[in-house]
Amino acid sequence: MKLSKLYSNKENFKNISFNLNGVNVIYADVQTELKDKKNSHDLGKTKVAELIDFLLLKKIDKKDFLLKLLDSNNKSIFNEYIFYLEIGLNDGRFLTVRRGIENNTKIAFSLSEKRSEGFIAPLKFDFENISIDKAKEVLAEFLNLDFFFDKNYDYRKALSYNLRTPPDDYKDVFQLSKFSNGKHKYWKPFIFDLLGFDGDLLLKKYENDDEIEELKGFIGTLKREYKIDKKDRDSLIAEKRSIEENNIEIEKKIDAFNFYEQDKKLIENGISDIENSISEYNSLSYNLNYEIDKLKKSIQNNFAFELNKVEKVFEETGIYFGNQIKKDYQELLDFNSKITVERNKLIKKIVSSKEKELKAINLNLIDLNSKKENLLSVLQDTDTFKKFKTYQKALAKKEEELNEVNSKINYIDLIFTKEDEIEDKKDEIESTIDKLNFLSRHTEQNEKYDDIRKKFHSYYKFIMDESANISWHLNANNNIEFPPPKVLDKANKNTAKDEGTTYKKILCVAFDLAILTSYNNQSFFRFIYHDDVLSTQDNGIKLRLLELINKLAEKYNIQYVLSVIKSDLPVDENDSITYFQENEIILNLNDKNEEGTLFGFSF
């Protein structure tokens, strides 16, 4: 993959056509005195790298220069810009990526069999307005880079090693600025892959380590939140048994009062039934008393007939009251007297019967009223049910204690389970460590690593006339460390030069070139963009660096993009800047006025 063209829909933007082979120079002529100018980067030479990154589908936010500078309407000053990047694919075709600022998450692609003429956007796009995540997948398929097959990351993982900008990206050969605040598993397995080893092996080690730390953290949280310790499990079992036995005793006491909750309704219904029976019996009792009273009175009312008075009445009226009549009346009196005696005997018998019935009813009433009083006393006995409620509360409290003890036991058992998982993970890690140890003891057997290391040493020595080597080792935790390459002087002794900014830049350059050329026999990146790499360098270093780049570009058919300000260019013995050919300078920037900047205006 190489860079072909970078252009915009805006005329003020300085469009760029890259040389597909060899050196590409982005040249900034800064004539203003340092104390009067803001910064050479204001011209836009570093922004070129940022735009390439943007068009290779970097996600941006409000911190990015394309979004953070706002106009009076609170919109980006680049809101109407649409950018195009034409790239040369390794299969010989050309792909144009279109991405605007206003809708920067919508991407378009246009594929062509040949390089475009001028800076005219394609009329037809094979993919249009697709999401940025989907666009990354599409672009990865178009790039078809062998190295990323079957990897859990895509082309963007390696892109920053091909787009280095100061100052952060030159601080470390291996760890780029974007990885500085992340976990090692986000970049070290990739570097391990890049050096020719098995990155998945290292990733597995990191993931197992992370899982173990998560398990340990989970165990620690359980111990803190529930105040438990594994050694307390047996004492908790004893406490559980004690609580359960205590609860049995309380339940027995509650069972004695169980009618209160279970039979309360029954009791209330019983009282209602008794009251109905009492009412019925009271009615019967009243009726019987009334009947008995009437019967007794009827006994007292004997048949009254005085013959003398009748006889006197006859005399007074002048009617003869003969003996026969007298006899008949006497017989009637005797008959009535006999009837009355019999009647009274019968009434007395009925009264006696009804009095017995009344007595039985009264006994029933006494019994019913007694039952009613007993049931009412049950419902109204507050002391009894205070005890019942007390036992209820005690049981609830003990149940709560039992639940807490059971929870602690369960959490302790969970801790044991998690510790078993940790041991299983450790067994997996041991197997991984064994493999990593084997690799670390036989690095010379890895052809890709050996080739990269040789090239790195060769390139650095050519530029600096000193030796430097890359290496890796396992630390005390059996994780891989990538120490900064050690710089050796001509006597093959260690120096501190690798700690200086100037030397770090050259170490990064040598590493990037070693990777690019080592993977030249595969479908891989074919370009490198180094921004500001010549600044603060010795003139001899600059000349040797540029000489090496030309040799490698010719030998490996690679594209090298270099951004530089005029004062950092190397000079010949006559202090003349004559190194670059005119066609190698693909972009001229200057600070004479705003038109000399990348966008044609300052910001």
Side-chain angles (χ1 to χ4, degrees), residues 349-404:
K349 190 174 181 180
I350 292 171
V351 168
S352 177
S353 173
K354 288 187 178 294
E355 284 180 341
K356 287 180 181 179
E357 186 178 351
L358 178 61
K359 184 177 180 180
I361 287 172
N362 287 335
L363 289 173
N364 284 333
L365 282 170
I366 291 170
D367 183 57
L368 289 171
N369 279 302
S370 176
K371 289 180 178 179
K372 177 182 175 182
E373 288 176 6
N374 289 336
L375 290 175
L376 287 172
S377 67
V378 167
L379 294 179
Q380 296 170 357
D381 189 352
T382 55
D383 289 339
T384 298
F385 290 100
K386 280 181 182 177
K387 292 179 182 179
F388 171 76
K389 290 296 183 184
T390 299
Y391 288 134
Q392 255 193 342
K393 289 178 182 178
L395 181 61
K397 184 177 181 181
K398 288 298 180 181
E399 288 290 347
E400 186 177 338
E401 291 177 7
L402 183 60
N403 288 336
E404 184 177 350

Side-chain angles (χ1 to χ4, degrees), residues 203-330:
L203 179 62
K204 184 178 180 181
K205 168 67 167 57
Y206 281 121
E207 288 178 343
N208 281 340
D209 284 344
D210 287 346
E211 289 173 11
I212 287 175
E213 288 305 311
E214 287 177 9
L215 289 169
K216 287 181 178 179
F218 180 70
I219 290 171
T221 299
L222 290 179
K223 288 180 178 179
R224 288 192 304 273
E225 289 188 2
Y226 299 100
K227 298 179 176 59
I228 53 177
D229 195 301
K230 293 186 297 180
K231 70 178 187 305
D232 296 331
R233 190 184 189 282
D234 191 47
S235 64
L236 287 170
I237 293 295
E239 185 178 351
K240 175 184 177 180
R241 294 288 182 263
S242 176
I243 293 172
E244 288 174 338
E245 290 173 5
N246 186 62
N247 286 358
I248 291 172
E249 292 300 317
I250 295 176
E251 285 172 354
K252 287 180 180 178
K253 293 177 181 179
I254 287 178
D255 286 342
F257 298 93
N258 201 35
F259 62 83
Y260 184 71
E261 293 297 334
Q262 295 182 359
D263 299 332
K264 184 177 180 180
K265 192 67 179 178
L266 184 61
I267 292 170
E268 291 173 349
N269 291 337
I271 291 174
S272 178
D273 292 341
I274 289 172
E275 285 179 340
N276 290 335
S277 296
I278 288 173
S279 177
E280 290 176 3
Y281 279 125
N282 280 334
S283 294
L284 290 172
S285 175
Y286 175 80
N287 291 332
L288 284 172
N289 278 314
Y290 178 79
E291 290 175 1
I292 291 169
D293 182 63
K294 286 290 185 182
L295 289 170
K296 284 182 176 181
K297 285 181 178 180
S298 69
I299 293 173
Q300 294 173 359
N301 295 330
N302 292 326
F303 181 78
F305 187 84
E306 295 181 12
L307 188 59
N308 293 332
K309 289 183 178 181
V310 174
E311 189 175 349
K312 185 178 179 180
V313 170
F314 269 82
E315 288 178 355
E316 289 177 353
T317 57
I319 298 173
Y320 174 69
F321 189 70
N323 290 331
Q324 185 59 42
I325 295 174
K326 194 176 195 177
K327 179 182 176 184
D328 291 338
Y329 269 102
Q330 187 61 50

